Amino acid sequence: MVSLLNDARPPVFCPGCSHERITHTLDKAFQNMGLTGDRVVMVSDIGCSGLFDTFFNTHALHGLHGRALTYAAGLKLARPDLKVVVTMGDGGQGIGGAHLLAACRRNLDLTLLILNNFNFGMTGGQYSATTPPDALVGSAFLNQLERPLDICQVARSAGAAYVTRCSAYRKDLDAEIQRAIEFEGFAVLDIWGVCPGRYTKKNRLTPKTIDEALAGLPPVEGIVDENTRMEYGRHYRQLSGNLKPAPVPPKIEAEFQSPAAHRQELTLLGSAGQRIITAGEILCLAGLTAGLNTTQKNEYNITVMRGPSISELILSPQEIDYTGIDRPDVIVALAPEGVDRRRQIFEQIDGNTLILQAAGVAVPNCQARIHQMDLKAQGIKKPDWALASVGVLAKLGRIINPEMLAAALKIKFKGKTLENSLELVEKVATV
Amino acid sequence: MALSFIEGNEAIGRGAIASGCRFFAGYPITPATTILNTMLTLLPPLGGICLQAEDEIASIGACLGASMAGLKVMTATSGPGISLYSEHISFAVGSEIPIVIVDVQRLAPSTGSATRGADGDICFLRWGNSGGMPVIVLAPENVADCFTLTMHAFNLAEKFRCPVFIASNKEIGMTRESVDLDALATPDIINRTPSPAGKPFLPFQIDDDQMVPDFLPIGSDIPVRQTSSTHGTNGYITTDSQEISRILERLKNKLESAVAEFSFYELLGAGQSETLVIAYGVTARAAKSVYRELKSSGQPISLLILKTLWPIPEAVIRRAAQGVKRVIAVEMNLGQYVWEIKRILVDQHLDFYGQMDGRLISPHKIKEIIIHG
């Protein structure tokens, strides 16, 4: 049994600090397990608990206050074979509360030792999330205003699979730490101790009073039955193990001749549920089948099932520099929500712009040429209006043609959806 | 030639995979979310890890842990997330942890406008770390750049052991565009330099001919130390001011002295120019459109598109501005990078146009500045 303590850097804690005791106990646990320094990572953050990594001849990652669990997660996912032991104080547990909750929910195989000494020792004995309200600490009366956090209750309710509350002076602490490290899952030890440099200067706290206080609480020890489940990393590898590689984006060869000789800008103005964005994509794919360069920008509300849905498209035989559309060549007006959102463009357009206007959708007075489409009368349902409009455009020979559109649909859709969409663009009338 | 139709964010994800990225952690935020989506589609089938973390602090924290375990890592967010990344950006800078960080910028301060673009974080990325050490920031102009600059970003992060930012923009990240993926000029892959076997290992030790320490991952046969504290070459905290100064000056010099190696830019119309336009990001596309129009009518104009923003490619800017009568800087904010240009071209006439209202700066506007000042 070889000690993993770093002879060159002995502990530097205040005399009587329980952290020093835990340092030696942890080393004993490592020895009992026969671990070598290259199998162990000590992850720590700020405060006196953050000194731990320097006392051991192991791998070490020391970072920012309360964030130790975040580094530990990355390390353990990358190297599941390593034993990752995290030390945090009650301070780090407070500032890193979100990470503690996430670690409990996740159940990654980490061991968290919370060195709970009820105050911020390093910065002057300020109150922490676990300071009792009647303690005298370096934060004047503020600790009287807040209720201390029961780390174990929080950890259990957040899903931690192994939770123990104990004293730093517990006789078999080394065995308990060993059990926690050997447990495959997230293990939290809330280890109560004394801070002679700050806390016990004005508060009575001894190994005996810690034992008395613990005896007055319901015991929390070891595996939490209701939270027992598969370890996160193992589960992750199981779920991802059989995934097929993601397909590469389709590569589309130019096989047709586009009716467009120069840059064409289109704006589809509709509403949620009209599949505006899909129709825009299909129009661009159709462009690609004729070797056109294309861009597509979309706009919709964050509440995606209500409000305007707009797609702005550029198709061009030349390289597309500017992706903005100020004066579109074609406007497809399918819903008042979209028309309202882009009301200003109707002031900028002239007779060169073609508007495909769905019956019943008013557009502002303007100079554009208007092509009316009564899609409803043709028995086309609203979710198909956008694609039907693209069909109209193809039939009019504007920018794309029917064979480009059919090729695009074959790239985008399969099976029944493909059949239906081909049928839709075939049947849609241009008058 | 075959064209694919993908958005900038997907191109960044695919560029990352092509670079060997095997760990991604992120938190959903518009307009960067589709990078997380892309990585979730691409990484797990390759045996990589894609984690949706509890917040942005944890996202980048997990990346730093995985990077120290030897993986190539990336995270992606927008301005509000960069704010939360700050403490870990400083960690990556000071402790030389390779990581690629994507900022798909959105409009305005704070939560701003999630679905509107801007280039408002350009100085924030440079100066958003405690200690003020340099970082590398690359700015894509289009989907092709998103792919290739991400590959360069990984190479630079590995080579210089530092965070490298991709300063994207909603207008690039969420715009789908045709791109010939097979025609992209992609760089060869660079991996961090492992410490030679048998050589005594100190985590921050360099040889006389080195600017960047060799790397061993946590989990090697030799215990490896990493710390966010001011450290000596052995990775332990130090108060030795000479050692501190040596290491901090090296952090500065390793990037600033090497910027010529990674000064990515495009210079159009050099030689017979009287007016030089300088732009970056999506704004460069509007500038290019104006440049093409004016050049074809014989006007003496040139355009410098910067793709490396930090460290500032000063030599590139000076060379491009040599002999021109007037320089015009255009950016999608109310004036940030222009102050660096002003500092570098102190004796030259410099005009500025900035716009920050969620709209792209139009070619029309840039032309107006060029013609009417």
Side-chain angles (χ1 to χ4, degrees):
Chain A
M1 294 203 289
V2 181
S3 166
L4 297 187
L5 285 175
N6 184 350
D7 294 337
R9 292 176 185 270
V12 291
F13 296 116
C14 299
C17 177
S18 38
H19 287 14
E20 178 143 349
R21 189 180 182 87
I22 297 169
T23 305
H24 290 284
T25 310
L26 177 60
D27 181 47
K28 204 165 163 211
F30 287 151
Q31 290 187 49
N32 294 344
M33 296 172 73
L35 287 168
T36 49
D38 62 329
R39 307 311 305 151
V40 178
V41 197
M42 293 292 300
V43 184
S44 70
D45 53 42
I46 298 300
C48 296
S49 69
L51 299 169
F52 261 63
D53 59 274
T54 61
F55 305 139
F56 289 90
N57 273 324
T58 62
H59 296 290
L61 205 169
H62 168 88
L64 287 118
H65 200 199
R67 313 304 176 205
L69 285 169
T70 73
Y71 319 127
L75 275 167
K76 185 70 188 181
L77 284 165
R79 287 295 303 268
D81 56 314
L82 298 174
K83 297 288 183 197
V84 180
V85 177
V86 182
T87 57
M88 279 167 67
D90 40 305
Q93 178 274 131
I95 188 177
H99 313 311
L100 176 64
L101 295 182
C104 292
R105 293 181 51 232
R106 210 177 270 139
N107 196 35
L108 195 56
D109 183 17
L110 308 170
T111 306
L112 172 63
L113 308 180
I114 299 179
L115 313 189
N116 184 357
N117 62 11
F118 309 100
N119 79 145
F120 286 75
M122 202 174 256
T123 51
Q126 291 81 11
Y127 81 122
S128 77
T130 61
T131 308
D134 58 354
L136 290 173
V137 287
S139 312
F141 58 88
L142 295 179
N143 60 304
Q144 296 173 40
L145 300 169
E146 292 182 25
R147 190 176 152 152
L149 188 81
D150 183 327
I151 294 168
C152 295
Q153 272 194 43
V154 169
R156 286 173 64 143
S157 63
Y162 189 110
V163 186
T164 290
R165 176 167 23 226
C166 62
S167 164
Y169 301 92
R170 178 170 155 165
K171 292 274 182 302
D172 65 343
L173 184 59
D174 59 329
E176 177 52 26
I177 291 175
Q178 180 176 347
R179 274 193 293 276
I181 294 174
E182 284 172 345
F183 177 75
E184 195 197 3
F186 185 57
V188 185
L189 268 56
D190 175 17
I191 307 174
W192 291 21
V194 300
C195 171
R198 301 290 187 188
Y199 192 77
T200 55
K201 286 222 158 96
K202 289 186 177 164
N203 301 284
R204 190 175 141 69
L205 189 70
T206 64
K208 188 158 175 280
T209 60
I210 288 176
D211 282 345
E212 287 163 7
L214 290 173
L217 291 168
V220 184
E221 175 92 22
I223 292 171
V224 182
D225 287 336
E226 67 268 29
N227 292 340
T228 303
R229 61 200 187 278
M230 202 190 302
E231 192 266 339
Y232 183 94
R234 183 182 289 274
H235 202 180
Y236 193 104
R237 290 185 291 279
Q238 187 184 89
L239 292 178
S240 61
N242 297 320
L243 294 174
K244 293 201 183 78
V248 295
K251 292 178 180 178
I252 301 163
E253 297 281 356
E255 49 177 324
F256 304 112
Q257 183 70 36
S258 162
H262 54 88
R263 173 177 169 127
Q264 297 287 314
E265 302 177 350
L266 301 93
T267 304
L268 311 185
L269 304 175
S271 64
Q274 287 187 316
R275 303 186 199 156
I276 296 288
I277 290 155
T278 305
E281 181 191 353
I282 287 164
L283 222 158
C284 287
L285 292 175
L288 264 55
T289 67
L292 297 182
N293 294 300
T294 58
T295 63
Q296 179 183 22
K297 289 202 281 187
N298 305 312
E299 183 177 333
Y300 45 85
N301 283 358
I302 47 166
T303 50
V304 293
M305 292 178 71
R306 196 184 285 275
S309 181
I310 294 170
S311 195
E312 295 179 316
L313 317 163
I314 301 170
L315 290 86
S316 175
Q318 294 85 35
E319 195 180 320
I320 298 171
D321 294 325
Y322 179 56
T323 56
I325 294 180
D326 302 320
R327 195 182 294 170
D329 299 279
V330 175
I331 296 173
V332 180
L334 297 177
E337 292 94 328
V339 173
D340 281 351
R341 182 62 69 87
R342 283 288 185 279
R343 192 153 281 274
Q344 79 289 352
I345 60 169
F346 291 89
E347 292 163 17
Q348 294 154 13
I349 54 179
D350 55 25
N352 293 320
T353 297
L354 169 69
I355 298 181
L356 300 188
Q357 184 186 19
V361 178
V363 298
N365 280 333
C366 61
Q367 305 294 313
R369 285 177 298 124
I370 294 195
H371 180 98
Q372 295 272 0
M373 308 179 293
D374 197 344
L375 300 169
K376 196 176 166 189
Q378 296 178 48
I380 297 170
K381 296 197 174 72
K382 269 204 172 176
D384 288 334
W385 282 17
L387 184 56
S389 310
V390 175
V392 171
L393 208 59
K395 284 190 170 173
L396 293 174
R398 193 67 198 255
I399 308 171
I400 60 168
N401 60 37
E403 56 184 359
M404 289 164 68
L405 178 55
L409 291 170
K410 285 172 193 161
I411 294 163
K412 176 71 184 171
F413 297 131
K414 284 193 174 59
K416 195 75 189 157
T417 318
L418 174 61
E419 272 173 46
N420 292 344
S421 59
L422 284 169
E423 192 185 318
L424 174 72
V425 300
E426 173 71 24
K427 83 169 182 192
V428 67
T430 55
V431 287
Chain B
M1 184 186 76
L3 294 173
S4 297
F5 189 52
I6 63 174
E7 62 167 27
N9 284 348
E10 181 179 343
I12 285 176
R14 291 190 179 276
I17 297 293
S19 309
C21 174
R22 288 298 176 269
F23 190 97
F24 179 93
Y27 184 82
I29 181 170
T30 307
T33 307
T34 46
I35 298 178
L36 170 60
N37 297 349
T38 301
M39 296 312 274
L40 192 49
T41 308
L42 300 180
L43 264 181
L46 296 173
I49 300 284
C50 179
L51 184 70
Q52 180 178 316
E54 58 271 22
D55 59 26
E56 284 90 343
I57 295 170
S59 303
I60 183 170
C63 285
L64 297 186
S67 182
M68 281 313 301
L71 298 186
K72 292 189 182 182
V73 302
M74 180 169 86
T75 185
T77 188
S78 190
I82 294 291
S83 306
L84 289 173
Y85 282 2
S86 177
E87 64 181 24
H88 280 152
I89 293 168
S90 311
F91 187 5
V93 168
S95 303
E96 306 186 69
I97 308 176
I99 179 172
V100 174
I101 302 171
V102 185
D103 180 9
V104 188
Q105 296 168 91
R106 47 151 99 176
L107 175 68
S110 188
T111 51
S113 306
T115 59
R116 297 281 180 277
D119 287 327
D121 301 345
I122 291 306
C123 287
F124 185 36
L125 295 180
R126 165 61 185 89
W127 294 105
N129 70 81
S130 56
M133 289 294 146
V135 295
I136 299 176
V137 180
L138 308 180
E141 182 196 335
N142 51 32
V143 166
D145 280 354
C146 284
F147 194 102
T148 53
L149 287 183
T150 298
M151 292 195 73
H152 284 295
F154 272 94
N155 280 351
L156 294 169
E158 292 289 306
K159 180 168 183 184
F160 293 103
R161 289 189 56 177
C162 63
V164 178
F165 292 94
I166 302 286
S168 185
N169 176 320
K170 180 263 162 187
E171 291 287 350
I172 299 166
M174 292 183 67
T175 298
R176 294 184 87 179
E177 190 172 359
S178 50
V179 60
D180 184 351
L181 291 169
D182 297 326
L184 297 177
T186 54
D188 292 337
I189 304 292
I190 296 174
N191 297 314
R192 58 194 83 167
T193 312
S195 179
K199 185 179 168 186
F201 176 71
L202 287 176
F204 299 101
Q205 178 73 51
I206 51 159
D207 289 341
D208 288 345
D209 60 344
Q210 284 183 307
M211 288 293 267
V212 181
D214 293 338
F215 181 86
L216 277 186
I218 284 177
S220 304
D221 295 344
I222 304 169
V224 172
R225 276 193 60 72
Q226 179 55 285
T227 177
S228 56
S229 298
T230 309
H231 46 263
T233 53
N234 58 9
Y236 286 99
I237 198 164
T238 181
T239 55
D240 178 342
S241 58
Q242 282 189 350
E243 188 167 29
I244 291 170
S245 152
R246 263 199 308 276
I247 288 188
L248 294 184
E249 284 183 22
R250 182 174 61 71
L251 289 184
K252 182 172 153 70
N253 292 336
K254 73 175 178 179
L255 297 184
E256 290 184 348
S257 69
V259 67
E261 279 180 45
F262 56 87
S263 294
F264 303 112
Y265 66 96
E266 192 179 347
L267 178 59
L268 301 172
Q272 323 83 22
S273 169
E274 290 180 11
T275 300
L276 168 70
V277 177
I278 302 180
Y280 59 86
V282 73
T283 306
R285 301 176 70 139
K288 212 185 250 180
S289 161
V290 179
Y291 164 82
R292 284 188 174 137
E293 183 189 335
L294 295 181
K295 197 74 185 173
S296 68
S297 62
Q299 301 213 35
I301 184 170
S302 55
L303 171 63
L304 174 63
I305 299 171
L306 293 173
K307 300 190 181 189
T308 298
L309 293 181
W310 306 100
I312 304 161
E314 296 197 16
V316 170
I317 294 172
R318 281 208 185 85
R319 223 163 33 233
Q322 210 160 37
V324 304
K325 291 183 180 154
R326 182 179 168 218
V327 178
I328 302 171
V330 190
E331 51 185 333
M332 213 167 156
N333 54 50
L334 297 182
Q336 295 189 20
Y337 206 76
V338 60
W339 294 103
E340 300 296 337
I341 297 170
K342 199 169 187 67
R343 176 178 65 74
I344 294 160
L345 305 179
V346 65
D347 294 326
Q348 281 178 282
H349 181 91
L350 175 66
D351 290 321
F352 170 71
Y353 181 72
Q355 179 183 303
M356 209 178 183
D357 58 3
R359 292 176 307 154
L360 290 171
I361 297 174
S362 69
H364 177 75
K365 192 74 217 179
I366 297 174
K367 194 167 142 190
E368 208 174 272
I369 309 291
I370 294 170
I371 293 170
H372 303 295

